[in-house]
Amino acid sequence: MAYVITQTCCNDASCVAVCPVNCIHPTPDEPQFGSAEMLHIDPQTCIDCGACADACPVEAILPDDKLEPSQARFAEINADYYRTHPMPDGWNPLAPAPAAPRDRGTLRVAVVGAGPAACYAAQELLERSDVEVEMFDRLPTPFGLVRAGVAPDHPGTKSVTESFEWSFRREAFALHLDTEIGRDLTHAELLVHHHAVVYAVGASADRRLGIPGEDLAGSHAATEFVAWYNGHPDYADRTFDLSGERAVIVGNGNVAIDVARILTMDVDELARTDIADHALEALRHSNVREVVLLGRRGPVQAAYSNPEFLALGDLNGVDIVIDESDLVLDAAGERAVAHDPAVAMRVQLAREYAARTPQDGNRRIVFRYFTAPEELSGTGRVDSVRIAHTELVESSEGALVARATDDVEVIDAGLVLRSIGYRGVPVPDLPFDDQRAVVPNIGGRVETGVYVTGWIKRGPSGVIGTNKGCAKETVAALFADFDAGRLTRPEGDRRSLGKLLAERRPDRVELDGWRAIDAAERAAGRVDGRPRIKITDRAALVDLGRRRRRLPFIGSIPR
């Protein structure tokens, strides 16, 4: 028996640190780690100790004899990685970091944001006993895209929040929700009360297509749709026209696959998740029968990960449709398949889907490779998309780029969602690189006393666990500055900050308020056999979570 890493792998490498035989790769020290879809256990080296399964924050690691039929392929995916990345010779066990000097008093750090990047930063900071962390977020709930971005039918991925509870339970940690930096407190005021500020504000905007008709009614960013069905309070009042039979998604990354799955899967299955009630009701009346995903390049270069692509095959009543002609590989594609097991698996899965016979009455998810949108058309609202077929050409830098050809077609669509990436937005009082849409930094350091982590630091790349290594690098820079005496001692402390917040934001939601919200949502969910029923009205969240509210108020929540 060996252990196997499955679809919900979060890549935070908690398992790597506890493996006694170094059989989990790539590790954060290896160059493949930054681009890896998931981590892999070598079945030939694994000694079946189970330490990795105990350490995994999302329960993604299972013994190979406990895999469900839908997970069986992951044993092959794990083993295949070592075909081209053999186990390294020898291994030096992780050594504890040397103790840091403790003669500078308590380090006070403000963390702006409460998503996974912020939570991993808080974890890293609170590993030391001489640190106090104040966390701020403009929303009345924490966890960022884990709560408002991860698909509702992926509960395992969301369980990563349980690993953040260690930080939340510490006396040195304080949470200030529904508190916006730049509105309620300024950057300068944060520095008055802290040695350092870490911004972990993510990338809240979306990229645009830049084509005619993009702003027609019925054309939206996929990020809006995701936030809507996940119950984000800023998007709960949005509406999406699901009366047409075909939706088009521009892009074929994991977010695009999530959206396609939500639009086509059995609504009764969704009703067992924490999807927002308003979205569940809209999907019950949806007429969408086909979702088309447009990708500029081919299956070799597709943006989705193999675990997400593989999981589509288990959808009840949904056909995955791929044209076999898109799977004819050129020489470069054949080389990629031969040298990269992940690419080989991606192409093999596509070929298996292409060979399936569609079933009458099923909904369809159609992958259209080598296509790009040129224009959205319609009178008042979108009703069709003109797409150009593309070809791959080599750029002057040697990269393969997709170039539109004169071969065009028009397909009907009542809903168009662009899923071509997130984009960071400027942070008040910080420099901003508009081209890369990040705050310029070196290893997370913007300047002494000001730091960034997560997407605002490196751009919208990686998965949830990628933020752990990112935060580790940033916090190491912060500690180096503190231990060297480079950080300015704050004029204010936690008490003076509390007085200021009481004046500026008296009804903010603190940790006990979030716990009341969390308990209320879970209690409501238990009645309907669901993980939780999310409160999507911001005023109701704040009302329930105000500091003077306590757990006796959890018996009834606004619907």
Side-chain angles (χ1 to χ4, degrees), residues 417-457:
L417 300 169
R418 62 182 183 275
S419 182
I420 54 175
Y422 291 81
R423 178 178 171 82
V425 298
V427 178
D429 301 316
L430 267 62
F432 190 71
D433 181 337
D434 192 63
Q435 183 173 0
R436 296 182 57 222
V438 298
V439 172
N441 67 93
I442 299 176
R445 184 189 288 109
V446 181
E447 59 186 56
T448 302
V450 182
Y451 308 84
V452 287
T453 190
W455 283 0
I456 197 62
K457 168 188 173 182

Side-chain angles (χ1 to χ4, degrees), residues 145-168:
L145 285 181
V146 177
R147 178 178 169 97
V150 173
D153 61 330
H154 283 7
T157 304
K158 297 185 181 194
S159 65
V160 71
T161 59
E162 296 173 10
S163 70
F164 301 145
E165 287 295 328
W166 176 85
S167 299
F168 283 22

